[in-house]
Amino acid sequence: MENSIYGPYRDILPRIKDDFTERIRTFQRLEKEHTGYKICEHLLSRVKSEESMRQKLEKRGLKADYKNALTQIKDSIGIRIVCDFIDDIYKNVENLKNLSGVSVHEEKDYIHHAKPNGYRSYHMILVSEEPFGDVYGNTPGEFFIEVQLRTIAMDTWAALEHQIKYKKSIKNQNLITGELKRCADELASCDLSMQTLRNLIRESE
Ligand code: 0O2
């Protein structure tokens, strides 16, 4: 425990992650029951690995301790919601905002405002009230949770781009980056077409 970057929170963070994930799965289940449509294709969650957290703290020039890991870095708990359609992303966002004891610390809409490299996703940093003491000594405590929401197409693109970003020795970087951007734009166009098709199918039902 003493060696963990998360100190006394090492075993608490996975519990918060699991409880919060269950709350998401619950509103997604209710949505399906009410409308007949699923709003999530799949969901992933993780506590940031010790190594990644230490690297991130070092990169930011911060002391490697659990207080910084839980307050200065806001993605110690990360959840990714992958959806079939763009509208489903915004339905999940709405539901997340309606959860009790949860507030939005930051949100970035990289779907309407894609990154220059073509990256698209909806990012939220949430603050969740939890039945554990936080680093400030408050109980219930407040804990950051990062939620990334994407379509399957956006997720596929991000996975490939992530691989390339970390392969520093790759040849033809510029060509690959340019082609990736083109793919991102084409996938975004497909996402829009798929959304339109779904709307048409629903209207005709
Ligand atoms: P990892 O290893 O995936 O967790 P911050 O998280 O505050 O350091 P920033 O830039 O302020 O970073 O936040 P932003 O833009 O919301 O990005 C946070 C996360 O989104 C990243 O986490 C990535 O997971 C993902 N992301 C953002 N931009 C890109 C991109 O261009 N390509 C891909 N594939 N993923 C991206 P980390 O901590 O960088 O990495």
Side-chain angles (χ1 to χ4, degrees):
M1 164 107 68
E2 272 162 28
N3 289 332
S4 170
I5 189 63
Y6 298 117
Y9 291 92
R10 189 192 65 173
D11 297 332
I12 291 174
L13 292 180
R15 289 171 65 186
I16 295 176
K17 169 188 76 78
D18 289 344
D19 287 351
F20 200 83
T21 301
E22 194 43 44
R23 294 183 76 190
I24 295 177
R25 290 195 198 281
T26 300
F27 73 60
Q28 291 174 340
R29 239 185 339 260
L30 289 174
E31 196 74 44
K32 173 105 197 295
E33 278 168 28
H34 287 143
T35 65
Y37 298 106
K38 67 179 165 89
I39 58 167
C40 173
E41 207 283 325
H42 67 272
L43 183 153
L44 302 168
S45 63
R46 59 110 181 96
V47 171
K48 201 173 194 72
S49 73
E50 298 267 339
E51 194 192 348
S52 284
M53 179 54 81
R54 286 181 193 278
Q55 279 171 6
K56 201 158 186 173
L57 286 165
E58 194 186 327
K59 211 164 123 194
R60 299 258 176 105
L62 295 165
K63 189 173 164 220
D65 64 24
Y66 73 85
K67 287 190 179 164
N68 283 335
L70 266 74
T71 59
Q72 303 307 305
I73 307 296
K74 310 214 166 51
D75 67 345
S76 58
I77 297 174
I79 297 174
R80 184 170 296 152
I81 301 175
V82 180
C83 305
D84 289 321
F85 298 97
I86 295 171
D87 281 4
D88 299 341
I89 293 177
Y90 292 98
K91 183 46 88 179
N92 278 285
V93 168
E94 191 186 316
N95 278 300
L96 283 164
K97 288 181 178 175
N98 285 336
L99 288 174
S100 64
V102 174
S103 60
V104 179
H105 174 76
E106 189 182 296
E107 67 190 319
K108 294 180 193 163
D109 187 346
Y110 292 129
I111 298 172
H112 285 106
H113 307 282
K115 282 195 167 182
N117 63 356
Y119 178 77
R120 287 170 173 81
S121 207
Y122 197 99
H123 289 189
M124 303 175 90
I125 304 288
L126 303 173
V127 179
S128 180
E129 208 172 83
E130 299 287 338
F132 305 100
D134 62 23
V135 298
Y136 303 110
N138 300 316
T139 312
E142 292 191 332
F143 293 83
F144 289 115
I145 298 175
E146 184 195 60
V147 185
Q148 296 180 348
L149 302 105
R150 306 169 173 172
T151 61
I152 299 169
M154 293 170 197
D155 194 46
T156 306
W157 183 94
L160 186 59
E161 196 269 350
H162 190 263
Q163 277 182 32
I164 290 164
K165 196 152 61 186
Y166 291 99
K167 287 190 177 155
K168 301 279 182 223
S169 59
I170 215 156
K171 280 187 199 158
N172 303 322
Q173 266 290 359
N174 288 347
L175 174 74
I176 291 170
T177 308
E179 278 300 292
L180 260 179
K181 166 80 169 74
R182 190 179 59 75
C183 285
D185 294 343
E186 282 180 10
L187 289 169
S189 166
C190 283
D191 266 340
L192 285 177
S193 302
M194 296 296 271
Q195 180 68 58
T196 307
L197 281 169
R198 183 177 75 168
N199 294 348
L200 285 171
I201 292 166
R202 280 194 183 175
E203 278 165 24
S204 67
E205 270 168 0

